[in-house]
Amino acid sequence: MLMLKRILLVLLVMVLVSPVVMASQSDDLTVKAWAKYQRAGGKVTQILHLASGVEIRDSSSTGFFVNKDGLMLTNCHVVSYPPTMQAITIFGVLEIPVIDCTFIYTNTETGVEYQAKFVAKFKDSDLGTIKVDIDPKDYDAVELGNSDNIKVGQQVCIMGCPLGEKMGITSGIISCLRNDLGYVPPKGNLMRTDAAIDPGSSGSIIVDENLKVIGIINSMIPEAHAMGYGIPINLYNLPFWQTIND
C-alpha cells in the first residue's frame, strides 16, 4: 500500500510539473529569440506609382534581413504588385494603371524609414527579396536553419509586424506538416503552427529552439482559432536564389 501511494504521488508531481516545464521552455525561447532578432526585421510597405504621377502607400507586411548587404526576405505576394489598381467612383469601378512599385522598410522601434528596391520573386514558393539602402551597423541579419529537420510538436516562436504594427513575438508549436493548402503557394510542404498569427503577418519568421529561422509565414485561416502556415526556409536555401540575389 505504501509503495502504491508513492507511485501515485510521483505520477501526480509529473502531471503538475510537465506544463510548467513546457511553459518555461517556451518563455525562454521567446526571450532569447527577441534578444537576437529584434533588430533583424521590420515593416515592408509598397509604394504604388500611378500613371497620373500620384503615389499611394499600399498595405504593409514584414521582412527580415538575411545578410549584411541589405538583402531582405519576405513573401512573393508582398513584393508583387498589380498592373492596375481599382478605385470606386460614382460611375463604377475605375481601373488605374500602376506603372511602377518601390518599397519602404521601416524600423518599427525607431520609426526610421529606408528606401528599398525589388530584387527577385518566385511565385511557386511565395518568396521574394528586396534590397534596402541601409548601413550594416543599423540592423542584424537572421541565421537560417535547416527546415528538413522540423518535427511536429517542437517549440517555435513567430516574429513580425502584423498590420503594420511594431515588431512583436508570439510562441507555439509546429502542429502539423502538410503538402499544400490547395489554394495558396508554395507547391510543396508547409508547416502549420498554433502560435498566434494576425492578419498582415506575411513575411514573419518562424524561429526554432536553436534560434535559427526555419520558415516564413505566408498565410493564416481567419475563421480558425490558431491555424497559421509557413514556408520551409530550405525553399530559399537553393542555389538559384543565391545566384539571383548576388
Side-chain angles (χ1 to χ4, degrees):
M1 181 64 70
L2 181 60
M3 181 62 70
L4 180 59
K5 288 182 177 179
R6 287 179 177 176
I7 293 174
L8 291 175
L9 180 60
V10 170
L11 291 175
L12 178 61
V13 170
M14 289 176 64
V15 169
L16 293 175
V17 170
S18 293
V20 175
V21 172
M22 290 185 64
S24 177
Q25 290 174 341
S26 177
D27 293 344
D28 189 48
L29 172 59
T30 54
V31 170
K32 289 180 178 179
W34 180 256
K36 184 172 183 177
Y37 291 139
Q38 60 179 305
R39 289 188 354 118
K43 183 171 68 175
V44 175
T45 306
Q46 283 187 335
I47 309 296
L48 302 179
H49 303 273
L50 309 185
S52 62
V54 175
E55 295 183 352
I56 296 179
R57 290 202 170 201
D58 203 2
S59 58
S60 297
S61 297
T62 305
F64 278 83
F65 292 102
V66 292
N67 64 24
K68 296 299 283 184
D69 294 324
L71 190 70
M72 179 167 272
L73 178 65
T74 185
N75 294 126
C76 173
H77 69 262
V78 171
V79 298
S80 298
Y81 65 96
T84 61
M85 67 168 291
Q86 293 185 341
I88 300 176
T89 71
I90 59 173
F91 304 105
V93 177
L94 179 65
E95 294 286 338
I96 303 174
V98 177
I99 60 173
D100 193 14
C101 176
T102 54
F103 301 91
I104 295 291
Y105 157 67
T106 305
N107 181 318
T108 59
E109 287 299 316
T110 64
V112 177
E113 295 184 341
Y114 302 86
Q115 296 291 324
K117 62 180 182 180
F118 170 79
V119 177
K121 64 181 179 179
F122 190 52
K123 184 177 181 180
D124 283 348
S125 63
D126 193 25
L127 292 174
T129 51
I130 60 175
K131 187 75 172 288
V132 182
D133 185 12
I134 184 173
D135 192 311
K137 73 177 189 311
D138 291 335
Y139 70 93
D140 298 320
V142 299
E143 186 177 358
L144 303 183
N146 182 2
S147 55
D148 287 344
N149 298 328
I150 297 172
K151 300 288 191 302
V152 172
Q154 75 177 77
Q155 295 285 332
V156 294
C157 62
I158 315 296
M159 293 182 66
C161 307
L163 296 177
E165 288 285 330
K166 290 183 67 174
M167 180 80 71
I169 187 167
T170 62
S171 64
I173 63 170
I174 297 297
S175 53
C176 177
L177 297 175
R178 58 180 299 169
N179 289 332
D180 60 69
L181 290 179
Y183 56 91
V184 297
K187 298 176 180 178
N189 289 331
L190 288 167
M191 63 186 85
R192 191 175 85 202
T193 177
D194 68 347
I197 299 173
D198 298 302
S201 292
S202 294
S204 300
I205 54 173
I206 305 174
V207 182
D208 69 5
E209 301 99 323
N210 298 314
L211 301 182
K212 294 184 179 181
V213 174
I214 57 171
I216 302 291
I217 293 295
N218 80 319
S219 60
M220 61 169 291
I221 309 298
E223 299 83 6
H225 174 63
M227 291 179 67
Y229 290 89
I231 306 159
I233 199 61
N234 282 7
L235 288 178
Y236 176 73
N237 289 331
L238 297 174
F240 78 88
W241 267 110
Q242 313 313 317
T243 301
I244 292 172
N245 291 329
D246 290 341

